[in-house]
Amino acid sequence: MSTISRHIDRIAVEHVTIRSSQAFDAVKAKLERTVPRIDDGIFTLLRYGEHARALRELEALPALTIFGMRDHGALLGTVGQQRRAIQYDIGNPLTASRMTRHDLSAGLYAPIRVLLRDDGQGGTVFEYDRPVSVFGQFGDERVDAVARHLDQDLMDALEAAAA
């Protein structure tokens, strides 16, 4: 007979909001030019055990890539609202592996979720939870060191897109 247990921790999370006077389409285009989508072929290589080739391709990637995106604004159409909002998963597979090798639970937050939304007044807003705060819950300095670097890369990329 199996047993289960449950444990709930409360953590403090730092939430970042970056506001821009630039229009939504301009910020979205700039983000997607500077942070490219990841080539899913890398994951195919990994599934088939082509680890050395996948590693070479991963090492050639920029600091951040877009793993996926969802049009959250379109979802609001189901309740009669119209807004511009895209949810992105942004990160780097090697960065994730540098954290999850020390604590596999860090995979819960890698890649990082970022929301790009209109502000309702012609401007644009990025929102996300700081990597250093969400990964800090694991209490491992090795994970924290990687998270600090990710935090800076993410902030730099989003501020550049918002400029």
Side-chain angles (χ1 to χ4, degrees):
M1 182 151 129
S2 68
T3 61
I4 64 167
S5 66
R6 177 185 348 182
H7 179 80
I8 299 172
D9 286 321
R10 183 178 303 259
I11 63 169
V13 174
E14 296 173 5
H15 186 77
V16 178
T17 303
I18 300 171
R19 297 187 182 280
S20 173
S21 61
Q22 300 293 316
F24 181 89
D25 288 331
V27 174
K28 178 181 181 292
K30 194 168 183 184
L31 175 68
E32 292 177 11
R33 271 193 317 273
T34 58
V35 180
R37 283 195 66 117
I38 192 164
D39 178 355
D40 288 333
I42 289 173
F43 299 108
T44 300
L45 291 173
L46 291 169
R47 273 193 301 280
Y48 287 100
E50 297 285 335
H51 298 107
R53 184 171 165 203
L55 180 59
R56 283 192 304 275
E57 291 194 25
L58 288 169
E59 289 173 337
L61 290 176
L64 296 172
T65 58
I66 296 171
F67 282 65
M69 49 200 284
R70 289 162 294 287
D71 188 342
H72 196 79
L75 179 63
L76 290 174
T78 63
V79 293
Q81 292 185 14
Q82 284 198 310
R83 295 290 302 268
R84 307 286 308 274
I86 304 288
Q87 183 186 78
Y88 293 93
D89 295 324
I90 298 177
N92 180 301
L94 291 178
T95 299
S97 71
R98 284 195 284 275
M99 289 188 279
T100 56
R101 77 177 63 171
H102 302 298
D103 193 323
L104 193 52
S105 295
L108 179 61
Y109 299 101
I112 298 292
R113 256 190 202 169
V114 175
L115 183 68
L116 170 64
R117 64 175 177 83
D118 67 59
D119 68 1
Q121 301 171 359
T124 306
V125 176
F126 280 116
E127 294 186 65
Y128 66 97
D129 294 334
R130 280 189 73 199
V132 294
S133 68
V134 294
F135 290 110
Q137 70 182 289
F138 302 112
D140 189 316
E141 178 51 39
R142 298 166 298 182
V143 173
D144 294 346
V146 177
R148 283 191 293 275
H149 190 263
L150 174 60
D151 190 59
Q152 191 62 55
D153 286 345
L154 186 60
M155 191 175 303
D156 290 347
L158 298 179
E159 287 181 347

